[in-house]
Amino acid sequence: MTGTLGAIADDFTGATDVAAAFRRGGLRTLLFFGVPPEDEATPPHDAIVIALKSRAIPAGEAVAASLEAVRWLRNRQAEQIYFKYCSTFDSTPRGNIGPVLDALSQASPPGGVVMTPSSPEHGRTQYQGHLFVGDTLLAESPMRDHPATPMTDSHLPRLLRAQTDTPVALITHDVVRRGETAVRAAIQSETGYVLVDALTEDDLRLLGRVAVNSPLVAGAAGLAAGLAAARASTAPPVTEAPTPTGPAAVLSGSCSARTLEQVAVMTSLGRPAYRLDPVTTPDPDALAAEALAWYDSLTAPGPLVYSSSSPADLKRTQQELGVARSAEILEKATGLIAVGLVQRGVRRLVAAGGETSGAIVTALDVHGGVIGAEAAPGVPWIHPVGDDRPALLLKSGNFGDPDLLATASGS
């Protein structure tokens, strides 16, 4: 297959992850936040990723947004569609992975849909249909306590069957070990959704070769990298993008264990840090104004503004304000702070967390950009096209080494 590869991601940081995988695999990659207008300019490319905020919204809205995205991509000659969901399969029995897959399948030529959330570079693997986070089953990992999508089951076929009436098949690793011919034969004997075990990058490259001509494929960034490797031989070489420079700031809203480590590293290094407290200041405009006044008083570079908190503190905030209101206050305040930071000369913005990233991108009215160098696996710099907006680094909560926020915002 030599046409454009189009991807639809169910959140903003997931979109940057899959876009980085495409670029690392040798594909010139564009990323758009939301479905662009029909006349959107697109520099030369091999892959286009559309980032949606559809992971936790009502299933009907997620389906509608995904179908709008696939229509736009088809109009841009996308011959293959990749539905990117989280490597920890974040969802509930109501969706949204199953309903979106059903809609995309109906909008695609017939055929089984190869899929796996395996992404070994991020510590995610699928074995015997079970999803592991490192050496821990998903249901025994911190994802068990996720505030929006608590994952209390590790068996992927069972999780997906709760969300769809489409048949769900499993190809286990003993078949994968027998090689490409065996996997092709096993997939061709199935219909519907075909979850395939994958433990290594070699497994994912094999699946990429098997699925390279499939009209619809689904998974996390690992399988996306396998597809990119299978397609890259027909793509022009990708030139290396420079790492951006200029004043930097970090905005962190993720409450994942890894992000909390990264916040702790920044504070331990003596970086200026300001905590957003929506209980004390429940007005987002006032909350943002206080944070920007603090920023104006600084002399040290690379500050951190954060609402990231421990599960216990997060629970107390949500009990005090309600889940929806606390999220609304923090997202609006974060967007206002991002705008204020850019007005004050910040040229690099580092965001930790999907909702935080979405709030920043929306507030800055960033429609998309070219994928550049990675600060960590799956965390690339994004260079907005055609304007003077800052470079963005949008980090999924669980991604990156403990020092990522500090190094990405350093001089």
Side-chain angles (χ1 to χ4, degrees):
M1 184 174 289
T2 58
T4 299
L5 172 57
I8 301 167
D10 65 0
D11 82 339
F12 283 13
T13 54
T16 63
D17 187 17
V18 74
F22 289 160
R23 188 184 188 281
R24 196 186 320 133
L27 304 181
R28 298 168 299 171
T29 303
L30 304 179
L31 170 61
F32 291 102
F33 300 105
V35 180
E38 286 301 326
D39 61 353
E40 182 74 38
T42 50
H45 61 275
D46 308 299
I48 299 177
V49 180
I50 294 180
L52 302 178
K53 294 179 66 177
S54 58
R55 180 173 299 170
I57 64 177
E61 295 177 22
V63 165
S66 301
L67 288 176
E68 183 184 0
V70 79
R71 282 192 291 269
W72 190 92
L73 289 167
R74 297 286 192 207
N75 288 339
R76 295 299 175 114
Q77 287 73 54
E79 295 179 8
Q80 184 174 48
I81 300 297
Y82 191 84
F83 171 43
K84 196 280 178 189
Y85 50 74
C86 187
S87 61
T88 45
F89 212 74
D90 297 18
S91 55
T92 72
R94 297 181 301 279
N96 289 341
I97 295 175
V100 171
L101 274 172
D102 288 345
L104 294 179
S105 295
Q106 292 168 11
S108 302
V113 180
V114 176
M115 56 189 295
T116 180
S118 180
S119 189
E121 73 174 353
H122 300 313
R124 316 289 192 257
T125 52
Q126 178 186 323
Y127 181 69
Q128 298 294 319
H130 289 84
L131 182 55
F132 286 81
V133 178
D135 59 0
T136 303
L137 283 165
L138 174 67
E140 298 171 12
S141 76
M143 284 300 301
R144 181 178 184 86
D145 300 314
H146 192 283
T149 53
M151 303 306 295
T152 58
D153 191 356
S154 307
H155 192 248
L156 293 166
R158 187 163 52 236
L159 285 168
L160 187 54
R161 286 171 187 144
Q163 302 179 34
T164 178
D165 293 328
T166 301
V168 178
L170 172 65
I171 295 177
T172 57
H173 199 254
D174 61 322
V175 177
V176 176
R177 281 198 304 263
R178 295 205 295 270
E180 193 171 328
T181 300
V183 173
R184 285 185 187 278
I187 290 171
Q188 289 170 358
S189 69
E190 302 290 353
T191 58
Y193 307 136
V194 186
L195 283 156
V196 187
D197 282 353
L199 301 178
T200 67
E201 303 295 346
D202 284 343
D203 292 342
L204 292 166
R205 282 190 287 270
L206 181 153
L207 292 182
R209 295 191 298 272
V210 169
V212 71
N213 291 309
S214 300
L216 176 63
V217 186
L223 181 52
L227 275 180
R231 300 174 66 104
S233 61
T234 62
V238 176
T239 57
E240 189 60 36
T243 299
T245 59
V250 178
L251 294 171
S252 177
S254 168
C255 296
S256 74
R258 177 43 58 92
T259 297
L260 294 177
E261 284 185 85
Q262 293 163 341
V263 167
V265 167
M266 286 200 75
T267 57
S268 72
L269 293 173
R271 291 286 192 88
Y274 185 91
R275 185 173 185 276
L276 299 173
D277 185 352
V279 174
T280 302
T281 309
D283 177 358
D285 295 274
L287 192 59
E290 292 169 0
L292 290 170
W294 169 83
Y295 177 83
D296 290 337
S297 71
L298 296 179
T299 56
L304 164 71
V305 178
Y306 69 104
S307 59
S308 303
S309 59
S310 69
D313 287 341
L314 175 63
K315 185 175 182 180
R316 282 193 289 270
T317 297
Q318 292 175 337
Q319 288 175 337
E320 182 75 23
L321 297 173
V323 175
R325 185 167 178 239
S326 61
E328 180 183 0
I329 291 168
L330 287 171
E331 287 182 33
K332 183 176 180 182
T334 297
L336 291 170
I337 293 166
V339 171
L341 291 173
V342 173
Q343 291 171 344
R344 288 160 170 80
V346 168
R347 303 308 304 154
R348 292 178 292 152
L349 269 178
V350 179
E355 297 306 316
T356 300
S357 298
I360 291 169
V361 165
T362 300
L364 294 178
D365 195 28
V366 175
H367 297 156
V370 177
I371 297 300
E374 289 178 83
V379 190
W381 284 101
I382 302 165
H383 302 268
V385 176
D387 58 34
D388 60 353
R389 288 177 175 85
L392 300 176
L393 192 76
L394 309 180
K395 185 198 85 71
S396 180
N398 292 308
F399 282 13
D401 290 334
D403 65 351
L404 174 60
L405 297 183
T407 56
S409 59
S411 57

